[in-house]
Amino acid sequence: MIKLVVNGSKGRMGRAILGLAREDADFSVVGEVDLGDDINAAAAGADVIMDFSLHSATLGAARAAANNKAALVIGTTGHSADAKKAIADAVRGIPVVWAANFSTGVNTLFYITRKVAEILGPGFDQEIVEMHHRLKKDAPSGTAERLAQILADVKQRQLKELARHGRAGIVGERTPDEIGIHAVRGGDVVGDHTVIFAAPGERVELAHKATSRETFARGALRAAKWVVGKPAGLYDMQDVLGLK
Ligand code: NAD
């Protein structure tokens, strides 16, 4: 039985994780921590702490995990470069899975996007289309940026030289190496991502559609099971899924 503490337990992700963990015989929830609670007290005896809170709260969770020799799963996003470094320094002695997207499907999409780009090569034009709900504030999504980064890595080029965010007006013909990135917004869409590889006469499209945030919670719990007992180090979801 894995003793689990959730930091950010009252949030949307925290509640989704707790709901699933309670139905899972492998987990025993020993701590629910939110704003104003003492994570150090809750962390005593924990096997793993899951942090889905606020960027400013992750360092405290990291220190609590390190002090108690617990494993750590970080899903919180929005850390500055300095904050990331401070967190990484704090967790040197424990195993940590840190991922901005815990969806198993999206991580599989990352993997196959690289493979397809390698196989099809430069003759195929590459475009990424993402759609999210009308309330999303940033564009393109972090997941779309990661997909574009993978395509640029395969081309062995800098993404900032290749990224083409939308098109309007007399923009001229498409250049062979550009990576088109398009953000669509509307309704309550949780997150759709499509990578298009188009050549004269044929087209390959890789698509992922998230319909519920439970998918992130399930992936994070999978990461929590995987990370307990691993050697100290920083891992990501590609490690958890054996995709490296
Ligand atoms: P949310 O706003 O619904 O919940 C955040 C919770 O953290 C709230 O209950 C809040 O009170 C709590 N919190 C704030 N400060 C805290 C502190 N100092 N200590 C403890 N708890 C504190 O947000 P959410 O949608 O649940 O998302 C939480 C985080 O997870 C965000 O950073 C979000 O971007 C990220 N997220 C990651 C993934 C992924 O797959 N990695 C998926 C979804 C969301």
Side-chain angles (χ1 to χ4, degrees), residues 15 37 41 56 62 65 78 86-87 90 122 127-128 134 138 152 156 159 177 204-205 211 219 228 232 243:
R15 281 180 280 131
D37 300 329
S56 51
I87 294 161
E127 300 273 320
I128 296 165
R134 60 167 70 145
D138 55 317
Q156 298 185 312
L159 177 58
D177 274 341
V204 177
E205 296 187 3
T211 52
V228 171
L243 297 177

Side-chain angles (χ1 to χ4, degrees), residues 42-89:
D47 295 314
V48 60
I49 296 176
M50 297 181 71
D51 175 58
F52 282 80
S53 57
L54 194 63
H55 59 90
S56 51
T58 303
L59 184 57
R63 288 184 175 141
N67 289 341
N68 289 281
K69 292 278 171 220
L72 180 64
V73 172
I74 302 174
T76 306
T77 59
H79 308 103
S80 66
D82 285 350
K84 282 183 183 163
K85 187 173 178 313
I87 294 161
D89 286 345

Side-chain angles (χ1 to χ4, degrees), residues 30-201:
V30 298
E32 299 178 31
V33 180
D34 207 278
L35 194 58
D37 300 329
D38 178 2
I39 190 161
N40 285 301
D47 295 314
V48 60
I49 296 176
M50 297 181 71
D51 175 58
F52 282 80
S53 57
L54 194 63
H55 59 90
S56 51
T58 303
L59 184 57
R63 288 184 175 141
N67 289 341
N68 289 281
K69 292 278 171 220
L72 180 64
V73 172
I74 302 174
T76 306
T77 59
H79 308 103
S80 66
D82 285 350
K84 282 183 183 163
K85 187 173 178 313
I87 294 161
D89 286 345
V91 298
R92 276 184 206 288
I94 56 169
V96 180
V97 180
W98 193 347
N101 195 317
F102 276 99
S103 147
T104 305
V106 162
N107 280 277
T108 306
L109 179 66
F110 292 154
Y111 178 80
I112 59 173
T113 294
R114 181 180 301 278
K115 290 287 164 210
V116 171
E118 286 168 357
I119 293 165
L120 296 179
F124 282 72
D125 300 328
Q126 301 170 340
E127 300 273 320
I128 296 165
V129 183
E130 58 103 329
M131 180 165 186
H132 284 83
H133 53 86
R134 60 167 70 145
L135 301 175
K136 186 167 175 63
K137 294 185 183 70
D138 55 317
S141 68
T143 300
E145 280 179 352
R146 173 85 188 271
L147 288 164
Q149 186 62 56
I150 290 167
L151 296 175
D153 289 348
V154 172
K155 289 176 191 280
Q156 298 185 312
R157 296 276 305 276
Q158 293 291 316
L159 177 58
K160 61 178 187 302
E161 292 167 11
L162 304 180
R164 187 76 186 256
H165 293 278
R167 295 185 182 87
I170 312 298
V171 295
E173 291 180 9
R174 189 188 197 288
T175 58
D177 274 341
E178 69 191 46
I179 298 170
I181 306 167
H182 310 279
V184 183
R185 294 288 174 266
D188 60 356
V189 175
V190 173
D192 293 357
H193 293 88
T194 303
V195 186
I196 301 163
F197 298 85

